[in-house]
Amino acid sequence: KAGVTQTPRYLIKTRGQQVTLSCSPISGHRSVSWYQQTPGQGLQFLFEYFSETQRNKGNFPGRFSGRQFSNSRSEMNVSTLELGDSALYLCASSRITGTGGGYTFGSGTRLTVV
Amino acid sequence: DQQVKQNSPSLSVQEGRISILNCDYTNSMFDYFLWYKKYPAEGPTFLISISSIKDKNEDGRFTVFLNKSAKHLSLHIVPSQPGDSAVYFCAASAGDTGRRALTFGSGTRLQVQP
């Protein structure tokens, strides 16, 4: 079966711009979570969506937002980009919400802010 | 404040020997622990997990040990194979059902020498 698909794979943006990343979960998975990976920081939880509702949110500023559509696809938006937002953004899907496990991750979108 | 710590950024082991990856945590509310493996340009892949009610979980060559009093867990890979070379992330979760997220460590890069 198809895995978690993230687009685009690579992105270069300028400080102050905004960016939208997309995630298509595995068919049948209704939960989508987003994580940020930066060098030396591991993966940090951004937020989780289930049935188009945000169920959980990490400790990130309001510039980071997301949404989920009725087909479970999710988008993440970062506004007013800063250099420190350069990271690998990973999306993970699971059948049920908020279990803290059982995730299948996508390959990520590498965002570079210049 | 890192709640999940992997203090060894890298580990090198000979093929056929045991690989031991360590992880420490500070949040006593964590009650579910997982290990993920990540190859370059791919998303993390779930390896093995353990609930806090257990102290050991085994799956083929992979065994996870949990020492709750020391707030320490370890992943043992026996025997190690060159294909095991990857970055290994320890993760933990806590919270009410439906509102859990994963807290990751910063990863340990394992290199298995042929």
Side-chain angles (χ1 to χ4, degrees):
Chain A
K1 60 181 178 181
V4 177
T5 303
Q6 290 188 246
T7 57
R9 287 297 305 273
Y10 302 92
L11 205 49
I12 300 175
K13 287 286 188 179
T14 305
R15 264 185 309 176
Q17 287 187 312
Q18 74 163 21
V19 67
T20 299
L21 312 181
S22 179
C23 173
S24 294
I26 290 173
S27 178
H29 285 193
R30 296 168 62 193
S31 167
V32 173
S33 298
W34 289 88
Y35 286 82
Q36 181 197 62
Q37 184 185 7
T38 53
Q41 289 291 320
L43 290 87
Q44 295 181 284
F45 173 70
L46 281 154
F47 28 66
E48 179 180 13
Y49 286 86
F50 183 82
S51 294
E52 302 177 64
T53 301
Q54 186 180 91
R55 295 300 181 97
N56 203 353
K57 190 176 190 305
N59 189 25
F60 277 80
R63 300 185 297 107
F64 291 81
S65 63
R67 59 177 175 168
Q68 187 179 34
F69 301 95
S70 58
N71 62 358
S72 295
R73 190 176 72 84
S74 177
E75 287 182 348
M76 191 193 97
N77 185 274
V78 188
S79 62
T80 319
L81 283 166
E82 301 176 359
L83 294 179
D85 297 332
S86 295
L88 179 66
Y89 290 88
L90 290 158
C91 163
S93 74
S94 64
R95 285 190 187 279
I96 55 179
T97 183
T99 58
Y103 293 143
T104 300
F105 281 86
S107 298
T109 293
R110 183 163 295 282
L111 171 65
T112 302
V113 182
V114 296
Chain B
D1 175 35
Q2 272 195 306
Q3 298 186 63
V4 178
K5 297 177 185 178
Q6 294 178 256
N7 292 317
S8 297
S10 64
L11 175 68
S12 183
V13 170
Q14 287 289 105
E15 181 179 3
R17 300 287 190 115
I18 183 172
S19 295
I20 300 176
L21 295 98
N22 294 304
C23 178
D24 297 296
Y25 61 96
T26 58
N27 187 344
S28 58
M29 300 301 291
F30 286 143
D31 59 5
Y32 190 60
F33 304 89
L34 308 91
W35 285 93
Y36 280 83
K37 178 169 74 173
K38 186 177 185 299
Y39 292 117
E42 294 183 14
T45 303
F46 170 74
L47 262 180
I48 191 169
S49 63
I50 187 167
S51 163
S52 61
I53 63 173
K54 294 185 173 184
D55 54 19
K56 177 183 174 181
N57 189 26
E58 200 169 348
D59 184 1
R61 297 187 296 113
F62 302 91
T63 303
V64 56
F65 295 91
L66 175 61
N67 182 333
K68 282 198 304 181
S69 60
K71 294 191 178 67
H72 176 84
L73 66 155
S74 60
L75 173 69
H76 292 209
I77 306 173
V78 185
S80 301
Q81 300 173 353
D84 296 329
S85 298
V87 178
Y88 289 77
F89 290 97
C90 166
S93 73
D96 297 332
T97 299
R99 298 191 67 79
R100 290 171 168 257
L102 291 176
T103 301
F104 283 86
S106 55
T108 296
R109 182 177 302 278
L110 173 66
Q111 182 73 36
V112 179
Q113 308 286 351

